[in-house]
Amino acid sequence: METTDFNVWLNQNVKLSNINQVWTLYHAVRTESNEFFSFSIMRDEDRLLIKCAKSENILIIENHELKNRFLHTLEYPFLYQGGIDTAKELSKDWVS
């Protein structure tokens, strides 16, 4: 299944309360890199295609503006902690 709906795709593929999953997806999309396991990032002309290893669902991001909106959607819940990178670092403190 392909979708352009961020929320539908996120609900099916990412546990948004899990900073590790969100951080990984955020950086995979931001850098358009496949170095972040469990997400595959591909380009189809101008479109960015994102796939999670645990499903066949593909998120289609049509342009750069939508990519930025998607990144903001991922980071927004962590802004009160100083952003997604700071939240990730703070989560390490809780584990230690």
Side-chain angles (χ1 to χ4, degrees):
M1 179 183 94
E2 293 181 349
T3 185
T4 57
D5 187 319
F6 298 164
N7 292 324
V8 168
W9 190 86
L10 286 169
N11 287 334
Q12 295 173 347
N13 295 284
V14 180
K15 186 173 181 182
L16 293 175
S17 62
N18 183 325
I19 183 63
N20 293 319
Q21 284 184 8
V22 176
W23 184 91
T24 300
L25 176 58
Y26 178 88
H27 284 285
V29 171
R30 188 181 63 78
T31 62
E32 297 185 21
S33 170
N34 285 314
E35 295 179 19
F36 297 91
F37 179 76
S38 68
F39 300 100
S40 297
I41 310 296
M42 301 157 277
R43 275 269 173 205
D44 175 18
E45 297 178 16
D46 293 332
R47 303 181 320 161
L48 189 63
L49 309 174
I50 305 166
K51 183 178 174 305
C52 180
K54 68 180 184 177
S55 79
E56 293 299 314
N57 301 337
I58 295 174
L59 176 63
I60 300 170
I61 298 179
E62 296 287 343
N63 57 44
H64 189 69
E65 180 183 338
L66 291 174
K67 175 183 171 182
N68 286 335
R69 279 192 208 165
F70 182 69
L71 292 172
H72 181 72
T73 298
L74 294 174
E75 185 163 40
Y76 183 78
F78 302 101
L79 288 177
Y80 74 96
Q81 293 176 305
I84 200 161
D85 289 321
T86 303
K88 174 100 165 119
E89 287 300 314
L90 290 172
S91 75
K92 290 178 184 176
D93 293 341
W94 287 99
V95 174
S96 338

